Each structure stands twice: as C-alpha cells, then as structure tokens.
Amino acid sequence: MEDRKRIAVAGAGYVGLAMAALLSRGHEVVLVDVVPDKVAAVNRLESPIADPDIESLFKSSASGAQTLHLRATLDMQDAYKHADIVIIATPTNYDSETDFFDTSSVESAIAAVRDVNSDAWVVIKSTVPVGYTKSIRADLNDERIVFSPEFLREGKALYDNLHPSRIVVGADLNNEKSVRFAQEFAAMLTA
C-alpha cells in the first residue's frame, strides 16, 4: 500500500468524524455528509459533535501547529470518484421490537461509491448484523468490501481511535487481496 491514500468517509457522526480526523493526519481525506451545517463546520475546523479531542485537533490544525489533510463536502461523487478507500459510517438504526437493523444507508452509500468508482476498497464501519458483509459481498459480486467494527464511546471517539483497545478488520479469508487489504487498513489505524 502506498504511504498516502485518498480516503473518503461517508457520515460525519462520531464514528465517521473521528475516523476522518484520525486518518487526515497522514492521508488525504474527504468527509461527505448530507447535513450542510456539519460540512460547513468541518471546513471551518469546528467539530459538529461534542468530542474534546476532535475539537483540540481541529484547533491545533487551525493554528498551524498540526497539518490535517481534511475537507468536507455534500457531493458524494466528488468524495468517492478518486478515493482509494471509502469508509462507510452511516446510521443503521436497530429496532428492538422487530429485531431488525436498517442497513439502507450503508447500501445507498455502497451504490453511490460504485456508481463512480469500481476500484475503491469499501470499509463498513456502521453497525450491521452478523453475516451482513459476507452477504452484501455476494449479492453485489464485490470482493472489495470489508468490515471493521467500531469500539468507540460518544464524546471520546477520537481518543478511542488513538488508543484502541482492539482493531478488528473482517475480510474474506479465501481472498488473498481482501486479507492483504484488511491487514494494511488495520496498520493505517495504528499509524
């Protein structure tokens, strides 16, 4: 894997924003969201969520003390078109009465990526049911999708990314390229 990657992150909630902040220290990151106020805040280096470490990192970047390679956009095509990696961190609400995850935002994000970029690796960071990634890979006949669950606390998401208790990246063990990418992505999260 080359040193500097072009990464798109779908979703500016606590998972997506923390991933974008973490990875923008060494990679070119475009954060895409559907909420104009979130996009504008990120572009002003103001955190749209309450997370002291993200706020501190953004202030450090705004003052010139640290360089972040981060911008935000509402334009999915712009974000995904040239990405090497797309991280999907969109909401997947769980309904305890029906025992059902609404994964439609993940599926929409994957479709938007594939509309403009068939080569990018897709990393699902959203909470999905067991077996979902294997199923979506098969349904879409797309071997370039992996799953990396998040173990983050709201308000401490960047801290938890900087000091992970564990890093898990699930790949198709029968696919050498997928396994190699999963190992490389895990290494990016510790750099």
Side-chain angles (χ1 to χ4, degrees), residues 94-141:
Y94 176 71
D95 185 332
S96 59
E97 290 182 21
T98 62
D99 196 30
F100 177 77
F101 277 96
D102 179 2
T103 58
S104 61
S105 69
V106 174
E107 287 141 24
S108 292
I110 292 171
V113 171
R114 291 303 184 233
D115 280 347
V116 296
N117 186 334
S118 61
D119 296 325
W121 282 96
V122 173
V123 179
I124 299 172
K125 276 292 213 185
S126 300
T127 303
V128 294
V130 173
Y132 177 82
T133 307
K134 181 178 181 180
S135 174
I136 195 107
R137 270 196 306 258
D139 290 350
L140 299 176
N141 193 28

Side-chain angles (χ1 to χ4, degrees), residues 6-182:
R6 293 171 299 191
I7 301 169
V9 178
Y14 77 95
V15 174
L17 185 60
M19 288 299 304
L22 174 78
L23 294 170
S24 70
R25 297 174 313 148
H27 303 278
E28 299 293 327
V29 177
V30 178
L31 179 65
V32 62
D33 200 275
V34 297
V35 180
D37 290 343
K38 284 184 175 183
V39 168
V42 171
N43 286 329
R44 289 190 309 268
L45 292 174
E46 297 172 2
S47 180
I49 64 169
D51 187 306
D53 294 307
I54 292 174
E55 293 165 11
S56 176
L57 181 64
F58 280 7
K59 283 180 186 171
S60 178
S61 181
S63 73
Q66 181 153 1
T67 301
L68 297 181
H69 307 280
L70 174 65
R71 70 180 175 86
T73 184
L74 296 166
D75 185 342
M76 286 181 266
Q77 187 172 31
D78 171 54
Y80 303 149
K81 189 176 189 178
H82 299 292
D84 301 306
I85 301 167
V86 178
I87 299 168
I88 298 176
T90 59
T92 52
N93 298 322
Y94 176 71
D95 185 332
S96 59
E97 290 182 21
T98 62
D99 196 30
F100 177 77
F101 277 96
D102 179 2
T103 58
S104 61
S105 69
V106 174
E107 287 141 24
S108 292
I110 292 171
V113 171
R114 291 303 184 233
D115 280 347
V116 296
N117 186 334
S118 61
D119 296 325
W121 282 96
V122 173
V123 179
I124 299 172
K125 276 292 213 185
S126 300
T127 303
V128 294
V130 173
Y132 177 82
T133 307
K134 181 178 181 180
S135 174
I136 195 107
R137 270 196 306 258
D139 290 350
L140 299 176
N141 193 28
D142 190 336
E143 66 179 17
R144 298 178 77 82
I145 301 172
V146 300
F147 176 61
S148 181
E150 52 89 6
F151 304 102
L152 308 175
R153 298 168 291 166
E154 282 189 55
K156 292 288 188 184
L158 182 55
Y159 179 87
D160 290 344
N161 270 320
L162 291 168
H163 309 281
S165 61
R166 60 201 166 279
I167 295 174
V168 176
V169 183
D172 178 353
L173 296 178
N174 296 315
N175 182 311
E176 186 179 319
K177 285 189 265 182
S178 183
V179 170
R180 189 170 44 250
F181 172 76

